[in-house]
Amino acid sequence: PTSVPEDVIKEDCFDILCVGEGEEAFAELLERMKNKQDIYTIRNLWIKDEKGTIHKNELRPLIKDLDRMPFADKSIFYKYGVINSRIMVMTARGCPFQCTFCVNSFKKSLYPNQNYLRRRSVKNVIEELIILKTKYKPKAFRFEDDTFIFDLKWLKEFRAEYLKYINLPFHCYATPSTATDANLKEIKLAGCVSVSMGVQSGDKDIRTKILKRYHSDEDIIEAARRIKKYKLKLISEFI
């Protein structure tokens, strides 16, 4: 819906869609429905009325402080057996890149003058991990951030707290440009065992001109060598 809202809303089976972040918009929708109030002016939502008119509301600002968001309730997933020995967590929203094949390129274009890449504090992340570790007894974590290792200062603080309170193996994502020696060293010390890195295409022209992934063949090869140097399992991704 965020990428192609015009195509989605024209389908008869959809009455409402959300463009951009949905937590605040959805909460406001539920509150207004509960109180039998007008729902057609809720920011971020496109809403069809009884006559078929589509109300396209403006966007609200991005959620800047991710620490104020409640932790995701994973209990229903656990109830139905979806959560197994490795639990997925996100510590950030957004991405510093704008690859054409990724939804981030659409989302980022909606907020041209705002800081699209935002991150939770280490303290906030560790609090959630402690809860998950205590409640579900996982054997590992998987950080689903688009680029988990982009901030060395954050990684250093994370490493110390993660070892102190969690100390479990984990998987994360990197790019050729963020897979630096300093960043890889920190995640290795913290307990990282494997890294996914997007290559997307072995053809440089396709990679740079079509996919807007501005990494040379040499960049990718050297990043892979650095990852292997720290004895991390490398999983490469391709479109």
Side-chain angles (χ1 to χ4, degrees):
T2 291
S3 306
V4 285
E6 298 283 358
D7 293 329
V8 175
I9 199 65
K10 72 182 180 184
E11 299 293 336
D12 292 338
C13 57
F14 297 120
D15 301 309
I16 304 174
L17 65 78
C18 179
V19 177
E21 294 182 322
E23 289 93 348
E24 292 176 334
F26 190 50
E28 185 176 347
L29 173 65
L30 295 177
E31 190 69 24
R32 291 199 191 188
M33 290 174 72
K34 183 180 75 171
N35 297 323
K36 295 181 171 54
Q37 296 173 325
D38 169 36
I39 66 170
Y40 297 114
T41 58
I42 299 172
R43 291 181 295 172
N44 287 47
L45 299 187
W46 289 20
I47 307 173
K48 286 179 191 169
D49 62 22
E50 293 82 358
K51 298 178 182 179
T53 301
I54 300 171
H55 301 261
K56 302 176 183 179
N57 296 302
E58 65 180 17
L59 285 170
R60 63 188 72 213
L62 284 168
I63 299 169
K64 294 179 181 178
D65 181 12
L66 298 183
D67 282 13
R68 69 180 177 84
M69 303 299 292
F71 299 143
D73 178 8
K74 298 181 185 290
S75 61
I76 192 168
F77 298 102
Y78 184 75
K79 176 183 176 182
Y80 289 102
V82 177
I83 291 179
N84 50 36
S85 60
R86 186 167 63 175
I87 297 180
M88 297 184 213
V89 177
M90 292 193 75
T91 72
R93 288 187 182 182
C95 180
F97 307 107
Q98 203 157 352
C99 310
T100 56
F101 57 84
C102 179
V103 70
N104 278 309
S105 63
F106 294 93
K107 287 182 178 177
K108 202 172 182 179
S109 65
L110 295 174
Y111 306 100
N113 299 314
Q114 298 182 54
N115 184 17
Y116 177 59
L117 178 58
R118 295 143 290 148
R119 192 163 218 170
R120 297 160 57 189
S121 68
V122 169
K123 180 176 182 291
N124 180 261
V125 172
I126 296 298
E127 284 177 4
E128 181 183 20
L129 295 177
I130 289 172
I131 292 170
L132 295 174
K133 181 182 177 182
T134 304
K135 191 171 184 178
Y136 301 115
K137 308 292 190 294
K139 294 180 180 178
F141 282 103
R142 180 182 176 97
F143 295 108
E144 290 292 310
D145 307 51
D146 296 285
T147 47
F148 181 77
I149 65 172
F150 71 90
D151 184 342
L152 180 58
K153 181 181 177 182
W154 190 94
L155 287 175
K156 287 183 176 181
E157 183 183 349
F158 171 81
R159 184 244 300 170
E161 297 300 300
Y162 189 83
L163 286 173
K164 183 177 180 181
Y165 294 104
I166 309 301
N167 199 24
L168 289 173
F170 67 88
H171 173 88
C172 66
Y173 287 79
T175 66
S177 54
T178 60
T180 63
D181 272 300
N183 290 345
L184 293 171
K185 180 181 178 181
E186 287 301 323
I187 61 171
K188 176 66 177 181
L189 290 172
C192 184
V193 294
S194 57
V195 172
S196 288
M197 181 174 72
V199 176
Q200 313 312 351
S201 174
D203 185 295
K204 184 181 177 182
D205 285 344
I206 292 176
R207 203 166 56 237
T208 59
K209 295 178 182 178
I210 297 176
L211 303 179
K212 306 301 182 188
R213 293 278 294 194
Y214 300 113
H215 302 121
S216 68
D217 292 348
E218 293 73 20
D219 292 337
I220 294 166
I221 292 167
E222 287 305 313
R225 284 175 176 161
R226 287 192 296 272
I227 290 168
K228 299 298 282 185
K229 181 176 76 173
Y230 287 94
K231 294 182 170 54
L232 297 165
K233 180 181 179 181
L234 171 61
I235 301 164
S236 53
E237 299 184 340
F238 294 84
I239 294 293

